[in-house]
Amino acid sequence: MALDMTSLVSLCKRRGFIFQSSEIYGGINSCWDYGPLGVELKNNIKRLWWQAMINREDIEGIDASILMHPKVWEASGHIAGFTDPLVDCKKCKHRFRPDLIQEKKCPDCGGPLTEPRLFNLMFKTFMGPVEDESSIVYLRPETAQGIYVNFLNVQSTLRHKIPFGIAQIGKAFRNEITPGNFIFRTREFEQMEMQYFVKPGTDEEWFEHWKEERLKWHKALGLNPKKLQFHEHGADELAHYAKKAFDVQYEFPFGWQEIEGIHNRTDFDLSRHQASSGKTLQYFDEATKEKYIPYVIETSVGCDRTLLACLIDAYHEEVVEGEERSVLRFHPKLAPIKVAFFPLMKKPELQELTHKLQEETRPYFLTRYDEAGSIGRRYRRQDEVGTPFCVTVDFDSLKDQAVTVRDRDSMKQDRIALTQLLDYLRKKIEG
Ligand code: ATP
């Protein structure tokens, strides 16, 4: 059965994953705030990506600024080419993408529409006190350009030989005409991008390599492999900079959609920056004494879209022992809370031991304590936010020095000795 997005959006709000931005003012279109559990989930995704990228010899990380010299966007082609066609309703002034409407009349009020006009997707603002043409700056629409302009800084300071890559996680902004589907398409979002610099002629091989690596990463997040596929861009879909492009798509309830793009950007960006800045961006190969502008294989994944795919994939509603439960079956590495600790009853001797066990576990995992309501209700609360393990301290624990550990997915309970508890949890969670 296809997941009803409304149930997911409501769970996200109810349990502190995602709130509408500026909600008390009625919200602002397409902007969302991550709550306490959402930010944990997001940090876990970012950490797993960062580890996969940086924990190797040939990739370095950077964190470039969002505002860049406006010439960057001229050279990159974003000022001229980063556009969508738009029509305006002459009556109600609403805007639409002509490819998404059936008739030549406004879908909202039936009014007449203007001819299509190109609309640039970059957000503009002004730098400094004077608001004129010369002070226009843009909020970056992709993090990639911060990497290209730093290509030689990183290569020369860390003495890298080609091939090598630069990775970055950061916010990007696009004034999308048709945002929607919760956090799927928003105007402010986070990208995790890695640009891999290779010798021209080896680019096709590296493209294949990164394409496969990236699919493996999504599978390792625990996403259902049947809901992941590649989609190759046809000539009409290729971005202005790309020689070849594949999307990793996930089957969302609203159809197969891109979560990551893998692009062969050739030497387009570096050549353009070299021409525009007048500074050489050539790489010098000491061994062969060759000088060349490398080709770039880009892997660009949306953090928010990946998070949405993880939420959708994990969300299950089921009936257990005659009671309905909703459960987020996150991979333990992704789960915001890893272990919940419960005293069976609000008795000081049980509370004390529960706190002690929690303190011992705290340095390793994010944990939570809960003593409110029946054990069954406490399990349901943790199931709903995807906590993989619940530890209950009961009266027997005081005698047998053991606790009950309950598994979210199988709902099986194991009796574990206190001395073994930390090892048991670490094995299950860290693998
Ligand atoms: P789409 O066709 O869906 O607009 P795109 O092809 O423009 O996406 P890219 O420029 O390849 O996207 O960006 C790389 C990744 O950044 C995408 O795969 C997606 O995960 C993420 N991304 C791009 N635009 C948005 C957005 N408006 N909201 C959320 N994530 C986005």
Side-chain angles (χ1 to χ4, degrees), residues 118-287:
L118 289 177
F119 173 78
N120 195 290
L121 298 182
M122 281 196 294
F123 278 95
K124 266 186 204 171
T125 186
F126 299 95
M127 188 171 260
V130 184
E131 298 193 0
D132 64 11
E133 279 291 309
S134 65
S135 63
I136 292 178
V137 288
Y138 300 91
L139 302 189
R140 66 181 176 197
E142 60 176 26
T143 62
Q145 300 301 325
I147 293 182
Y148 301 141
V149 298
N150 278 299
F151 153 67
L152 277 189
N153 283 340
V154 175
Q155 187 270 324
S156 60
T157 48
L158 285 112
R159 300 160 53 85
H160 271 288
K161 292 201 173 67
I162 274 178
F164 80 97
I166 305 178
Q168 169 166 230
I169 299 178
K171 288 262 177 158
F173 303 82
R174 297 183 187 177
N175 202 359
E176 300 276 5
I177 298 157
T178 48
N181 281 325
F182 196 24
I183 55 167
F184 176 81
R185 188 185 306 285
T186 52
R187 295 189 171 120
E188 170 179 347
F189 53 97
E190 220 164 349
Q191 289 187 313
M192 307 186 286
E193 295 197 309
M194 193 280 293
Q195 313 292 325
Y196 203 72
F197 301 91
V198 306
K199 189 171 181 182
T202 64
D203 49 307
E204 291 178 14
E205 215 177 293
W206 280 111
F207 183 87
E208 288 309 313
H209 171 84
W210 281 110
K211 196 180 124 208
E212 296 310 320
E213 283 298 303
R214 295 305 306 146
L215 185 63
K216 271 193 231 156
W217 183 82
H218 289 282
K219 289 183 183 165
L221 286 184
L223 290 177
N224 179 353
K226 292 202 189 97
K227 293 195 164 211
L228 288 167
Q229 71 177 21
F230 283 123
H231 162 76
E232 180 168 12
H233 284 208
D236 54 333
E237 289 171 274
L238 277 179
H240 61 276
Y241 51 73
K243 164 172 157 189
K244 191 167 187 175
F246 271 74
D247 294 339
V248 177
Q249 293 186 327
Y250 178 78
E251 192 179 12
F252 288 93
F254 42 88
W256 286 96
Q257 298 284 345
E258 165 178 352
I259 49 177
E260 168 152 7
I262 297 130
H263 309 121
N264 182 342
R265 290 179 79 133
T266 68
D267 58 359
F268 177 85
D269 301 271
L270 291 181
S271 303
R272 295 276 294 225
H273 285 307
Q274 175 168 289
S276 172
S277 66
K279 302 269 162 34
T280 179
L281 289 176
Q282 283 186 323
Y283 167 76
F284 178 65
D285 186 329
E286 297 275 359

Side-chain angles (χ1 to χ4, degrees), residues 19 22 43 49 54 79 92 126 151 193 199 206 278 299 313 320 338 354 362 407:
F19 307 122
S22 324
N43 284 342
W49 184 86
I54 300 299
I79 289 179
C92 72
F126 299 95
F151 153 67
E193 295 197 309
K199 189 171 181 182
W206 280 111
T299 72
D313 214 69
V320 184
K338 310 287 192 224
T354 312
R362 222 191 269 286
D407 179 295

